[in-house]
C-alpha cells in the first residue's frame, strides 16, 4: 500500500506503524465525574466498519508524524491522509 | 525421435544434460521439456495419488505433470516444471514421486486401489481412530502421495530484492504485450516489460503465423532492437509477475541465474517490488483439456503445446499423432505438424459439421473415448455414433479451447465474467485499479486482435496519465475468429482426469455432487481440485463445466475460483531476498562493543542489540563463576556496565513538565532542576507500561529513560500523546538512545573513580546527592551528563558521553580504576544486582501487572490526569492483592526458578489455589543461595511465612520463605552515602 503523506507525498506503508481507529484522539477528561464510564468506552469500544474507516498510522521510519488515514477497509482505497496534530488542534479550536 | 526442421534452437551448440542419470543432449533455446521430447522421453513422472505414469501436458508455466527434481546436493530443487527449466550444459534432472524405477513404480499398486481413493476418501477413512492419524495415516499418505523431496541442506545461493517504479508495467511479452510496450515506450513513458519466458514473443514463437508476410520472429527482432535503443524501457525476461497488490504495487521474481549451472558470485533470483502508475495485463491464455477415459497417458497433451514444441523447439512427441478438438484450433496443430513432416493419424472433432482444413483423416462428430499404452500412448479409441474404432497414435493433442489468464486481474477479488461466445471467463473490468487487460488474456486471442488491443490499451492507460502517443503501425496478422463447440468432457465409464497433478477425475466431481459438495469452494476442498502446485491452471474451468452439467446450472451460476497470489510458485528463498543469517535483522552494537569484544566478553542478543552478557576471565570454567565475581566486585569495589541500550527521549519546551505530568503516573512537573525522579508509565487501560528515570536538566529540558525493550514503543506512544492528545502543549521530543553512550558506575568506590574522570566537578554528597543530575565535562573537556541513580542498590552513577567516545571512556575508567577494583560487568550481573535490590524490570513489567502489584500504587497521582490513571482505579485492578515480594529457599541449596507458581504450604496445586508466581530468579552471591522476586497474594502481610514454589513441569516443589524484595541494604543507606 502507498500512503499519501501530507508533507512527504506517497510513501510505502511499510514505513508506517498502524495503531487503529482515529477515535483515540477523543480522549476523555480524566478529572471529570464521568471519567470511569468515558474511559471504559474510550479504551475498549471500537467501530469495525467494512468500508470507510479513519485510522491512525505512525510514520515511524520517516518523519515521525502521526497521520489520520481515511481508508476503505474493503478495497484498501485510500481517500486521504491528514496530520493527526492538525486534526487534534482543529478539534481543540472548535471546542473553544 | 529426431528433431523436426526449423525451430528457435541453436543447433550449432550442443548442451549435455542427464535425466535419471541417463546422458542426453539438447541445444540452446531448449527447455528441459523440449530436450526430453527430443531424446524420446515421454514418461517423466508419476502422478500424485495413483502413481500413474505421466508425461508432459503443456509447454509453459501451467504444466501440471512434468515436474522433476532439478540439480543435486544443496541446490536440489524439487517440483520444478520441466517446461520452465531452461536447458544449460551440465543440467541434471531426476524424476520424482516414485518408489523404484520410473518405469516400474512399486506404488503403482495405488492405481488398482483407486476405488478406495475417491474424493473425500481421506476425510472419511482416516478420521478414526484418532490416535492413528499422527503415527500411521499421515506418514503413510505423505510417503505415498508426494512430490519431490528437499535436500535438507542450506541454500548455497544468494538472493536479492529490489524496487522499481514505472508509468506503465506491461505483464507478458507476447503480441499484445510487445505492442503495448512499443506504443508506450515510443511516447517517452517509463515502461517495464516483464515476461516469464527467457525469450520475448509469447505465442508468436509457438505459431507458424506470419506478420506482414514474414516470420513473426522478424517483427519480434525488430521490436527488440528498438527496445534496446529506448532508455525509458526496461525489458525483464525470465521475470514472473506473481501478484497484483494494493495501489499499483506488483510482486515479481526475476530468475537471474536459474539458467546457469551455478549463479557463481551473482544472485540466483531477485524479488522485485514494482510500483506502476498503470498496468497492461497481457498474460495470454491457457489451453484446456477435454477429459475422456484414460486421458492421462504420457503422449496425451494439449494441442497448442504440441504445436509450440513443433514450431519453437522442432520436436514432436511421436512420429504419428492424432488431434482431439472441439473447435478450429485443433486443426491448426494438425496443419503445423503435417507441414513439419509428422504423420497425422486423424483429427477427431466433436462437431458433426467440422471440415478438414488439410490433407488428414477427419472424424467429425466423434470423440476419443479411451486410450491404451501403459508407459506411453499407443492407440486411441475413436467413437462416432456408438461405433468405436482403435487408431494407432504415439501422441494425442487435445484442444478444448483457451482460458484467458485472468489471475492477476482477479487478485483484488475481482470475479471473472463468463462469455458465452468465447466459452471462457474474461477478467472483470476495473477489478484491479489502474490495470487494463489486453490480448488473449481479455479474449482477444487472434494475432491481429492481440496486437491492436495491446496498442489500444496502452494508449488509453497513457492518456489517463496525460501522455499522448501516436497509434503505432502494426503488422498485418491473422484474425481468425474463435469457432468452438461447448463440449467439456466425454461421458463414459473409465476414469477421465480433470486435474492431472492432484489426480482428480470426472468421477470425483460426480461424487462431490452426489455428496452435496456442490458450491465450488466445497468441490475444491472435497476433491482437492486445483490445490496442487499448478493451482489447477489447466483444470479449474473444465471442472466447473462438469459440475454445471451435473447440477443443471450454467457455468457462471456454478461459480468461479478466487485467485490469490502467487500466479506460479515463488521460492521462500527469494521472498527472504537474502535477509537470512546475520542479515535477518539489523544488529545494533553498543558504543563499547569493540572494547568488550577485546576483553573476551560473551554477547547476548537483546532485541536487535548485542550486549555483553559477562566477561569471563582465565581459569573461570562456568558462567556463574564469572557472574558471581562481577557481582561481588561491584558490591566491594566498583563495577562498570554499558547501559546505552536503555531508551532515551529528550523532552524540551515550555510545557515539558506538564506534558510529562500527563505521561507519567507520578508527578514530574514538580521535579527540581538538577534532579532525577523514578517514573512509572501506565497504559491507558491502567496496567503498568514502562518505567525509567526522568532527569530535569533545565526548566524546559528533561531527559527520560525507558527500558531497552520498550524504547521504540514508548517513544511512539509519547509522540502519539504529543501530536494526537495534547497538540496545544509547547513540547518537542526526540529519541537520543543512539546519541549518548551511557555507562553505569556502581559500587562503594564509584565516587573515587569518577573523581579521576570529571573536570573539577564537585561529587561530594552535599554538592551532588542521590538523584542529582548535571551537565559537565570529563577527560579534559568532553561534554557529558552525570546522573546519580542506582539500579544495584550501591552508591552509583550513570555517566553519558557522546556515543563515539563511549568505547574510550570505558577503557579509560577501567584503567584509572585498577586500584579501586574497577570491573566490567555484563547483563547477567546487572540482572543479579537488580534482583538482589528488588528493582522491577521487564519480567515484572510484563503488561499484565499494575502499579499496585509493583508496590507503587500510591505513586499514581489522583491530583492530576495522566495516561492510565482513571482505569488503574477500577475495581478489578484495585481488588488485586498480589504484590511483589522476595522469596528465599528454606534450604539454601534449593533451586528457585522463574515461572514457578506459588501456593500455601500443603495446598493442592491447581488454578483455584494458585497464589501467584515467580517473575525473576537468580543465584545471589550476597545472600548465598538462589533468590526470587514474585507476585504473591496478600504478600505484604505474609513476610516471614513459608510457602511452596511449584514447578510441576519438572516435578519440583520448593519451600520458600517470603521476605522483603530488597535483599540488599533495605534501608537504602548505601546509595545515599
Amino acid at each position: 500500500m502507498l500512503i499519501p503523506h501530507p508533507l512527504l507525498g506517497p510513501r510505502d506503508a511499510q514505513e508506517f506503524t498502524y495503531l487503529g481507529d482515529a477515535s483515540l484522539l477523543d480522549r476523555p477528561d480524566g478529572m471529570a465525574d464521568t471519567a470511569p464510564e468515558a474511559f471504559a468506552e474510550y479504551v475498549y469500544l471500537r467501530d469495525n466498519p467494512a468500508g470507510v474507516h479513519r485510522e491512525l498510522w505512525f510514520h515511524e521510519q520517516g518523519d515521525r508524524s502521526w497521520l489520520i488515514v481515511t481508508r476503505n477497509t474493503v478495497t484498501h482505497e485510500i481517500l486521504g491522509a491528514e496530520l493527526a496534530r492538525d486534526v487534534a488542534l482543529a478539534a481543540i479550536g472548535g471546542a473553544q | 525421435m529426431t528433431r523436426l526442421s526449423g525451430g528457435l534452437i541453436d543447433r550449432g551448440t550442443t548442451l549435455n544434460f542427464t535425466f535419471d542419470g541417463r546422458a542426453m543432449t539438447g541445444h540452446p533455446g531448449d527447455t528441459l521439456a523440449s530436450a526430453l521430447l527430443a531424446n524420446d522421453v515421454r514418461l517423466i513422472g508419476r502422478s500424485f495419488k495413483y502413481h500413474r505414469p505421466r508425461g508432459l501436458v503443456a509447454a509453459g508455466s501451467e504444466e501440471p505433470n512434468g515436474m522433476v527434481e532439478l540439480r543435486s546436493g544443496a541446490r536440489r530443487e524439487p517440483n520444478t516444471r520441466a517446461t520452465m527449466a531452461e536447458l544449460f550444459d551440465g543440467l541434471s534432472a531426476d524424476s520424482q514421486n516414485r518408489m523404484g524405477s520410473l518405469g516400474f513404480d512399486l506404488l503403482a499398486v495405488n492405481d488398482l486401489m483407486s476405488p478406495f481413493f475417491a474424493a473425500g476418501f481421506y476425510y472419511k477413512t482416516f478420521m478414526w481412530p484418532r490416535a492413528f492419524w499422527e503415527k500411521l495415516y499421515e506418514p503413510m499418505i505423505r510417503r505415498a502421495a508426494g512430490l519431490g523431496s528437499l535436500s535438507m541442506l542450506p541454500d548455497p545461493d544468494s538472493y536479492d530484492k529490489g524496487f522499481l517504479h514505472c508509468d506503465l508495467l506491461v505483464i507478458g511479452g507476447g503480441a499484445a504485450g510487445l505492442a503495448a510496450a512499443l506504443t508506450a515506450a515510443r511516447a517517452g513513458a517509463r515502461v517495464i516489460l516483464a515476461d516469464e519466458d527467457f525469450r520475448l514473443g509469447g505465442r508468436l514463437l509457438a505459431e507458424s503465423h506470419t506478420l506482414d508476410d514474414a516470420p513473426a520472429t522478424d517483427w519480434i527482432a525488430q521490436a527488440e532492437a528498438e527496445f534496446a535503443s529506448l532508455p525509458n524501457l526496461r525489458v525483464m525476461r525470465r521475470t514472473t509477475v506473481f501478484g497484483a497488490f494494493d495501489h499499483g504495487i506488483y510482486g515479481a521474481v526475476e530468475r537471474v541465474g536459474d539458467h546457469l549451472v551455478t549463479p557463481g558470485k551473482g544472485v540466483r533470483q531477485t524479488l522485485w517490488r514494482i510500483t506502476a502508475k498503470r498496468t497492461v495485463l497481457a498474460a495470454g491464455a491457457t489451453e484446456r483439456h477435454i477429459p475422456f477415459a484414460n486421458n492421462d497417458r504420457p503422449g496425451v497433451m494439449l494441442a497448442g503445446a504440441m504445436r509450440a514444441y513443433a514450431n519453437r523447439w522442432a520436436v514432436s512427441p511421436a512420429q504419428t499423432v492424432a488431434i482431439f478438438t472441439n473447435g478450429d484450433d485443433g486443426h491448426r496443430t494438425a496443419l503445423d505438424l503435417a507441414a513439419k513432416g509428422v504423420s497425422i493419424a486423424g483429427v477427431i472433432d466433436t462437431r458433426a459439421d467440422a471440415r478438414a482444413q488439410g490433407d488428414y483423416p477427419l472424424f467429425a462428430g466423434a470423440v476419443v473415448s479411451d486410450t491404451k499404452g501403459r508407459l506411453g500412448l499407443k492407440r486411441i479409441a475413436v467413437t462416432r455414433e456408438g461405433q468405436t474404432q482403435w487408431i494407432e497414435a504415439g501422441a494425442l493433442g487435445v484442444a478444448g479451447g483457451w482460458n484467458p489468464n485472468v489471475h492477476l486481474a482477479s487478485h483484488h477479488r475481482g470475479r471473472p465474467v463468463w462469455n458465452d461466445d468465447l466459452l471462457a471467463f474474461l477478467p472483470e473490468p476495473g477489478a484491479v485499479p489502474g490495470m487494463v487487460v489486453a490480448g488473449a488474456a481479455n479474449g482477444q486471442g487472434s494475432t491481429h486482435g492481440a496486437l491492436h488491443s495491446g496498442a489500444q490499451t496502452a494508449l488509453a492507460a497513457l492518456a489517463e496519465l496525460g501522455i499522448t502517443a501516436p497509434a503505432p503501425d502494426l503488422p498485418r496478422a491473422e484474425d481468425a475468429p474463435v469457432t468452438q463447440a461447448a463440449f467439456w468432457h466425454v461421458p463414459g465409464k473409465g476414469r477421465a482426469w480433470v486435474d492431472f497433478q492432484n489426480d482428480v477425475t470426472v468421477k470425483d466431481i460426480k461424487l462431490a455432487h452426489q455428496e452435496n459438495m456442490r458450491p465450488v469452494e466445497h468441490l475444491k476442498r472435497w476433491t482437492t481440485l486445483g490445490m496442487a502446485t499448478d493451482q489447477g491452471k489447466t483444470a479449474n474451468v473444465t471442472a466447473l463445466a462438469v459440475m454445471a452439467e451435473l447440477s443443471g446450472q450454467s457455468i457462471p451460476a456454478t461459480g468461479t475460483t478466487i485467485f490469490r497470489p502467487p500466479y506460479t510458485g515463488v521460492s521462500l528463498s527469494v521472498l527472504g531476498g537474502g535477509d537470512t543469517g546475520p542479515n535477518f535483522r539489523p544488529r545494533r552494537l553498543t558504543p563499547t562493543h569493540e572494547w568488550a569484544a577485546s576483553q573476551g566478553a560473551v554477547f547476548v542478543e537483546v532485541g536487535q542489540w548485542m550486549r555483553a552478557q559477562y566477561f569471563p576471565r582465565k581459569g573461570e570454567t562456568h558462567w556463574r563463576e564469572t557472574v558471581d565475581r562481577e557481582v561481588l566486585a561491584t558490591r566491594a569495589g566498583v563495577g562498570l556496565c554499558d547501559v546505552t541500550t536503555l531508551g532515551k527521549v529528550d523532552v524540551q519546551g515550555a510545557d515539558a513538565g506538564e506534558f510529562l505530568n500527563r505521561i507519567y503516573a507520578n508527578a514530574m512537573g514538580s521535579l527540581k532542576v538538577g534532579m532525577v525522579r523514578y517514573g512509572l508509565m501506565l497504559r491507558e487501560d491502567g496496567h503498568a507500561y514502562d518505567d525509567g528515570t526522568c532527569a530535569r536538566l533545565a526548566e524546559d529540558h528533561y531527559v527520560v529513560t525507558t527500558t531497552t525493550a520498550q524504547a521504540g514503543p514508548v517513544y511512539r506512544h509519547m509522540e502519539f500523546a504529543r501530536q494526537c492528545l495534547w497538540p496545544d502543549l509547547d513540547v518537542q521530543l526526540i529519541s537520543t538512545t543512539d546519541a549518548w553512550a551511557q555507562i553505569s558506575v556502581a559500587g562503594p568506590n564509584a565516587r573515587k573513580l569518577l573523581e579521576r574522570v570529571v573536570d573539577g566537578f564537585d561529587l561530594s554528597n552535599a554538592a551532588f546527592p542521590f538523584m542529582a543530575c548535571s551537565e559537565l565535562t570529563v577527560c579534559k573537556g568532553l561534554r557529558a551528563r552525570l546522573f546519580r541513580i542506582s539500579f544495584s542498590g550501591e552508591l552509583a552513577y550513570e555517566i553519558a558521553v557522546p556515543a563515539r567516545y563511549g568505547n574510550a571512556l570505558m577503557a579509560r575508567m577501567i584503567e584509572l580504576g585498577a586500584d579501586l577494583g574497577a570491573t566490567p560487568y555484563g547483563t547477567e550481573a546487572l540482572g543479579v544486582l537488580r534482583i538482589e535490590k528488588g528493582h522491577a524490570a521487564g519480567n515484572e513489567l510484563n503488561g499484565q501487572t499494575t502499579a499496585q502489584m509493583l508496590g507503587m500504587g500510591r505513586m499514581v497521582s489522583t491530583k492530576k490526569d495522566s495516561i492510565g490513571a482513571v482505569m488503574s482505579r477500577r475495581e478489578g485492578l484495585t481488588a488485586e492483592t498480589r504484590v511483589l515480594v522476595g522469596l528465599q529457599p528454606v534450604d539454601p541449596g534449593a533451586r528457585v526458578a522463574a515461572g514457578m507458581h506459588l501456593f500455601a504450604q500443603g495446598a493442592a496445586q491447581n488454578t483455584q489455589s494458585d497464589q501467584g508466581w515467580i517473575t525473576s530468579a537468580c543465584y545471589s552471591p550476597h545472600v548465598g543461595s538462589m533468590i526470587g522476586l514474585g507476585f504473591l497474594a496478600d504478600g505484604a502481610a505474609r513476610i516471614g511465612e513459608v510457602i511452596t514454589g511449584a514447578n510441576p513441569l519438572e516435578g519440583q516443589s520448593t519451600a520458600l520463605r517470603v521476605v522483603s524484595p530488597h535483599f540488599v541494604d533495605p534501608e537504602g543507606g548505601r546509595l545515599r552515602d
Side-chain angles (χ1 to χ4, degrees):
Chain A
M1 290 207 303
L2 297 175
I3 290 177
H5 192 298
L7 304 176
L8 303 173
R11 306 299 310 174
D12 195 304
Q14 289 190 354
E15 295 173 2
F16 292 80
T17 306
Y18 180 78
L19 181 62
D21 195 335
S23 69
L24 283 173
L25 257 67
D26 309 323
R27 187 176 183 274
D29 176 3
M31 302 308 278
D33 293 342
T34 54
E37 295 76 20
F39 269 92
E41 187 155 321
Y42 173 72
V43 170
Y44 291 113
L45 299 182
R46 300 275 189 286
D47 288 336
N48 183 23
V52 175
H53 190 220
R54 277 161 56 79
E55 52 199 27
L56 283 157
W57 293 73
F58 181 50
H59 200 198
E60 188 145 42
Q61 293 175 54
D63 74 341
R64 297 167 282 135
S65 289
W66 276 97
L67 303 186
I68 294 181
V69 176
T70 307
R71 183 176 67 105
N72 185 321
T73 57
V74 176
T75 62
H76 290 189
E77 185 186 3
I78 292 189
L79 304 159
E82 309 154 87
L83 292 174
R85 188 166 189 276
D86 290 349
V87 176
L89 275 174
I92 293 169
Q96 279 168 355
Chain B
M1 167 63 48
T2 48
R3 292 272 187 175
L4 307 174
S5 61
L8 303 172
I9 49 169
D10 173 12
R11 288 166 201 262
T13 307
T14 297
L15 303 175
N16 294 292
F17 72 101
T18 64
F19 179 66
D20 279 346
R22 267 175 63 202
M24 301 182 184
T25 61
H27 299 292
D30 265 325
T31 61
L32 173 60
S34 67
L36 285 172
L37 288 178
N39 284 275
D40 280 338
V41 176
R42 282 193 300 175
L43 172 61
I44 289 185
R46 289 279 177 168
S47 76
F48 184 66
K49 208 156 82 172
Y50 303 130
H51 288 250
R52 299 261 297 185
R54 290 285 167 80
L56 294 161
V57 167
S61 63
E62 73 273 29
E63 173 63 36
N65 272 353
M67 293 196 302
V68 296
E69 285 178 0
L70 206 61
R71 306 171 196 260
S72 56
R75 288 201 169 82
R76 187 167 76 198
E77 199 188 319
N79 313 327
T80 306
R81 288 150 299 167
T83 51
M84 292 303 284
E86 193 174 340
L87 197 67
F88 54 84
D89 198 59
L91 176 149
S92 70
D94 289 286
S95 56
Q96 55 188 38
N97 198 29
R98 61 184 159 85
M99 192 185 279
S101 76
L102 183 55
F104 183 79
D105 179 352
L106 295 169
L107 283 171
V109 67
N110 279 9
D111 197 30
L112 302 174
M113 308 271 284
S114 66
F116 302 102
F117 283 115
F121 166 70
Y122 297 130
Y123 298 116
K124 294 170 194 165
T125 310
F126 294 131
M127 288 298 289
W128 185 91
R130 187 175 287 270
F132 276 27
W133 177 255
E134 257 180 52
K135 288 190 177 130
L136 182 65
Y137 296 148
E138 191 183 318
M140 186 181 91
I141 293 166
R142 285 206 186 279
R143 179 166 170 80
L147 299 164
S149 50
L150 295 168
S151 74
M152 306 307 284
L153 297 168
D155 188 333
D157 294 324
S158 50
Y159 297 80
D160 203 357
K161 57 187 169 196
F163 300 80
L164 294 170
H165 295 79
C166 61
D167 294 318
L168 188 69
L169 168 65
V170 180
I171 302 169
L178 290 172
L182 264 183
T183 306
R186 281 176 185 167
R190 286 188 306 161
V191 181
I192 291 171
L193 171 63
D195 193 279
E196 62 181 356
D197 205 333
F198 54 88
R199 190 165 180 147
L200 290 183
R203 272 313 285 188
L204 290 174
L205 306 175
E207 304 290 351
S208 56
H209 304 311
T210 54
L211 295 176
D212 277 345
D213 303 322
T217 46
D218 287 5
W219 183 76
I220 297 169
Q222 215 179 315
E224 286 192 276
E226 190 173 343
F227 288 160
S229 73
L230 293 166
N232 53 323
L233 174 104
R234 181 182 183 123
V235 180
M236 301 178 75
R237 295 176 184 82
R238 303 183 177 96
T239 302
T240 303
V241 179
F242 63 79
F245 301 96
D246 290 316
H247 306 160
I249 295 171
Y250 292 81
V253 170
E254 183 176 7
R255 290 174 295 278
V256 185
D258 276 13
H259 59 295
L260 307 171
V261 184
T262 69
K265 285 183 181 167
V267 298
R268 174 86 182 268
Q269 298 180 348
T270 300
L271 178 71
W272 292 105
R273 172 196 281 247
I274 303 173
T275 305
K277 289 182 184 159
R278 291 291 182 278
T279 299
V280 170
L281 178 66
T286 300
E287 197 169 21
R288 59 194 178 220
H289 210 75
I290 305 173
F292 52 86
N294 293 311
N295 61 332
D296 66 330
R297 298 199 193 281
V300 180
M301 57 168 51
L302 294 166
M306 197 178 257
R307 197 153 84 222
Y309 283 118
N311 287 325
R312 178 171 171 183
W313 289 289
V315 286
S316 170
Q319 290 285 5
T320 303
V321 305
I323 304 294
F324 179 31
T325 185
N326 61 5
D328 285 356
D329 201 78
H331 294 261
R332 283 188 182 179
T333 303
L335 290 172
D336 282 5
L337 265 70
K340 296 247 180 188
V342 177
S343 159
I344 306 297
V347 174
I348 299 96
D349 194 322
T350 61
R351 300 169 300 175
D353 59 352
R355 287 191 187 166
Q357 295 173 17
D359 183 18
Y360 50 74
L362 173 73
F363 300 83
V367 295
V368 175
S369 54
D370 202 357
T371 65
K372 283 205 170 13
R374 204 175 69 82
L375 297 178
L377 186 69
K378 287 194 173 126
R379 56 188 73 87
I380 58 172
V382 177
T383 302
R384 181 159 50 180
E385 293 168 353
Q387 303 290 313
T388 296
Q389 69 182 101
W390 287 88
I391 298 176
E392 303 283 319
L396 176 69
V398 183
W402 294 80
N403 291 324
N405 288 332
V406 302
H407 308 68
L408 271 89
S410 304
H411 278 179
H412 292 197
R413 291 189 76 88
R415 293 284 184 164
V417 185
W418 181 254
N419 183 301
D420 256 332
D421 297 329
L422 298 171
L423 297 173
F425 282 103
L426 299 185
E428 180 186 333
V432 175
M435 179 194 277
V436 280
V437 190
N442 200 35
Q444 289 147 303
S446 75
T447 313
H448 175 88
L451 288 168
H452 284 266
S453 74
Q456 290 310 316
T457 49
L459 287 175
L462 293 176
E464 287 178 14
L465 300 177
I467 302 172
T468 49
D473 282 336
L474 293 169
R476 264 180 295 109
E478 65 81 28
D479 195 16
V482 174
T483 17
Q484 184 192 339
F487 187 93
W488 297 100
H489 73 111
V490 180
K493 279 189 174 172
R495 277 178 295 163
W497 271 262
V498 179
D499 180 333
F500 292 109
Q501 198 178 116
N502 257 359
D503 268 339
V504 179
T505 65
V506 170
K507 273 187 178 169
D508 293 319
I509 299 172
K510 284 183 178 161
L511 192 61
H513 178 259
Q514 273 172 26
E515 295 177 341
N516 208 24
M517 296 292 174
R518 294 176 194 180
V520 66
E521 292 80 7
H522 292 172
L523 167 67
K524 177 174 171 173
R525 280 153 188 85
W526 198 237
T527 63
T528 72
L529 176 100
M531 288 170 72
T533 63
D534 67 339
Q535 292 285 290
K537 286 191 177 59
T538 58
N540 288 342
V541 174
T542 305
L544 275 177
V546 172
M547 184 54 101
E549 188 184 293
L550 293 168
S551 58
Q553 285 183 310
S554 68
I555 291 172
T558 304
T560 60
T561 23
I562 289 173
F563 296 92
R564 296 183 183 88
Y567 174 63
T568 51
V570 175
S571 72
L572 289 174
S573 300
V574 75
L575 285 178
D579 294 343
T580 55
N583 298 329
F584 182 65
R585 62 176 178 186
R587 231 164 41 128
R588 298 171 80 183
L589 302 183
T590 64
T592 62
H593 187 87
E594 202 182 305
W595 179 84
S598 76
Q599 301 299 305
V602 173
F603 292 97
V604 59
E605 278 185 42
V606 181
Q608 295 176 341
W609 289 102
M610 296 295 287
R611 295 188 72 180
Q613 191 175 11
Y614 53 96
F615 293 82
R617 281 196 185 155
K618 244 190 193 149
E620 288 174 344
T621 56
H622 189 272
W623 66 269
R624 256 279 311 284
E625 201 180 344
T626 306
V627 172
D628 288 356
R629 172 182 54 74
E630 291 174 7
V631 170
L632 292 170
T634 301
R635 295 218 186 277
V638 58
L640 291 101
C641 181
D642 187 327
V643 292
T644 305
T645 61
L646 293 166
K648 307 176 198 78
V649 183
D650 205 85
V651 184
Q652 297 194 38
D655 295 325
E658 173 58 22
F659 177 75
L660 292 172
N661 266 343
R662 300 183 190 183
I663 290 284
Y664 282 107
N666 48 326
M668 289 299 171
S670 57
L671 182 64
K672 289 195 176 71
V673 172
M675 293 303 287
V676 185
R677 190 173 283 170
Y678 174 82
L680 180 69
M681 290 185 196
L682 306 182
R683 289 195 314 240
E684 197 69 278
D685 67 3
H687 286 85
Y689 180 30
D690 197 57
D691 70 348
T693 58
C694 178
R696 191 165 198 176
L697 295 175
E699 198 60 39
D700 59 353
H701 186 189
Y702 290 79
V703 174
V704 308
T705 65
T706 74
T707 58
T708 299
Q710 298 286 5
V714 166
Y715 176 71
R716 184 192 309 154
H717 166 75
M718 288 173 72
E719 282 290 3
F720 172 78
R722 183 182 76 87
Q723 297 176 38
C724 302
L725 300 182
W726 307 303
D728 50 331
L729 294 184
D730 175 10
V731 61
Q732 299 295 328
L733 308 174
I734 191 163
S735 165
T736 58
T737 305
D738 296 84
W740 293 89
Q742 197 146 321
I743 296 170
S744 163
V745 184
N749 291 337
R751 183 181 289 122
K752 280 183 205 153
L753 173 57
L754 279 173
E755 276 168 350
R756 299 174 185 182
V757 178
V758 298
D759 298 339
F761 186 83
D762 185 358
L763 284 168
S764 70
N765 208 21
F768 199 69
F770 180 56
M771 294 310 251
C773 68
S774 183
E775 293 179 289
L776 73 168
T777 64
V778 299
C779 302
K780 295 177 183 150
L782 174 63
R783 70 194 175 102
R785 289 170 175 174
L786 190 63
F787 310 89
R788 188 167 163 194
I789 51 179
S790 178
F791 200 48
S792 56
E794 299 299 324
L795 167 68
Y797 302 81
E798 287 187 13
I799 183 165
V801 291
R804 64 186 180 282
Y805 295 103
N807 209 56
L809 181 66
M810 179 65 104
R812 176 78 60 90
M813 287 198 293
I814 291 288
E815 189 192 321
L816 293 176
D819 61 319
L820 303 172
T823 303
Y825 65 94
T827 54
E828 287 297 332
L830 183 78
V832 173
L833 290 164
R834 74 95 189 162
I835 294 171
E836 286 181 340
K837 181 61 186 172
H839 265 306
N843 294 15
E844 287 73 37
L845 292 157
N846 71 350
Q848 298 172 302
T849 55
T850 63
Q852 190 178 312
M853 291 172 76
L854 292 162
M856 303 178 195
R858 269 180 287 172
M859 265 175 72
V860 184
S861 170
T862 52
K863 295 190 189 109
K864 64 178 177 85
D865 183 17
S866 66
I867 288 177
V870 172
M871 294 297 267
S872 76
R873 292 192 280 268
R874 56 187 155 139
E875 202 180 333
L877 298 190
T878 51
E880 172 66 59
T881 69
R882 286 176 296 192
V883 294
L884 194 67
V885 295
L887 297 156
Q888 202 172 322
V890 173
D891 167 10
R895 182 167 161 249
V896 181
M900 274 183 159
H901 275 249
L902 305 176
F903 298 94
Q905 267 199 321
Q909 294 178 4
N910 56 37
T911 316
Q912 285 72 37
S913 56
D914 188 297
Q915 297 192 325
W917 74 101
I918 294 182
T919 51
S920 302
C922 69
Y923 177 80
S924 164
H926 174 80
V927 176
S929 74
M930 292 202 75
I931 57 169
L933 297 176
F935 292 106
L936 177 66
D938 289 320
R942 295 170 70 179
I943 301 292
E945 185 182 332
V946 174
I947 60 168
T948 300
N951 177 8
L953 274 181
E954 294 174 294
Q956 196 189 353
S957 239
T958 308
L960 300 171
R961 189 175 309 280
V962 182
V963 295
S964 153
H966 310 296
F967 294 89
V968 167
D969 189 28
E971 297 77 26
R974 292 188 194 180
L975 39 75
R976 289 186 172 83
D977 272 348

